[in-house]
Amino acid sequence: MEPRFLFPHRYKLIGWLLAIPSLILGLSVLIGDFYFDFLTVKLPFEYIFTDTFTSSSGGDKTTLNDSVSVLNFTDEIAAIGSIVGLLFIAFSRVKIEDEYVSKTRLESLQWAIYLNFALLILAIIFIHGMAFFSVIVYNMFTPLIFFIIRFHYILFIKPSYETNGKLQNN
């Protein structure tokens, strides 16, 4: 059966080249409040699709007066680059796409979703306030990251432990 909705194999490299710098940039924005000045745009009107908790020092939104807003798109670029890169990595074909790979892909995706929501439930119970906002931001990326880690572990690392020419099962 031909797998549908997968990117060509060459997209995996594009995904790595896009995801790694974007994830580093995103962590720099979240942890170090880092922004590129050249991504700052002045709008001739007040931007209403933001909350008041955004930072006024180089962050997402600063209102200069009642009719002008300043936006910086560093975090948006980092998030979009990370999502697209991780999607390319996660859903690019492998060189030999067979039933074992399809089964491993499906099981890894299911495992990643279970793990992600288990961690989210723990975060809902134990983390509150603005720290929870950070958890939600990280939670946008963790399902793909968990999937990529498990899928590649099962597919490429675990089968290397062969005995008598037969693969060991879970």
Side-chain angles (χ1 to χ4, degrees):
M1 184 172 150
E2 183 69 22
R4 298 174 14 175
F5 308 120
L6 293 178
F7 298 108
H9 178 69
R10 67 181 176 276
Y11 279 47
K12 190 175 293 280
L13 176 62
I14 296 168
W16 284 112
L17 295 174
L18 193 57
I20 291 173
S22 296
L23 288 168
I24 292 170
L25 178 61
L27 287 173
S28 299
V29 168
L30 283 174
I31 295 171
D33 203 29
F34 175 82
Y35 292 92
F36 287 119
D37 290 333
F38 69 90
L39 291 174
T40 300
V41 176
K42 281 186 186 179
L43 300 176
F45 54 88
E46 185 173 357
Y47 189 70
I48 59 170
F49 297 106
T50 188
D51 289 330
T52 56
F53 67 82
T54 55
S55 75
S56 60
S57 59
D60 255 345
K61 176 185 180 271
T62 305
T63 302
L64 297 176
N65 56 40
D66 289 339
S67 62
V68 176
S69 294
V70 177
L71 296 173
N72 187 286
F73 290 100
T74 304
D75 50 348
E76 285 83 359
I77 298 292
I80 292 168
S82 297
I83 291 169
V84 170
L86 290 171
L87 281 171
F88 282 176
I89 294 166
F91 299 111
S92 292
R93 295 178 189 271
V94 295
K95 290 195 185 227
I96 300 172
E97 193 76 34
D98 58 7
E99 284 188 27
Y100 174 72
V101 172
S102 295
K103 180 179 180 267
T104 303
R105 190 182 301 277
L106 181 62
E107 289 174 354
S108 296
L109 186 58
Q110 183 178 13
W111 180 88
I113 296 300
Y114 284 154
L115 177 62
N116 184 67
F117 282 99
L119 292 174
L120 183 59
I121 289 169
L122 290 173
I124 290 169
I125 294 169
F126 294 111
I127 300 174
H128 304 284
M130 286 306 296
F132 186 73
F133 176 74
S134 295
V135 168
I136 295 302
V137 170
Y138 294 126
N139 193 259
M140 288 190 305
F141 308 102
T142 52
L144 286 170
I145 292 170
F146 293 155
F147 168 76
I148 290 167
I149 290 169
R150 184 171 191 275
F151 177 67
H152 287 95
Y153 172 76
I154 297 295
L155 204 60
F156 298 113
I157 296 172
K158 194 172 181 183
S160 65
Y161 300 109
E162 294 184 45
T163 57
N164 297 332
K166 294 182 180 179
L167 293 177
Q168 294 177 351
N169 291 333
N170 297 17

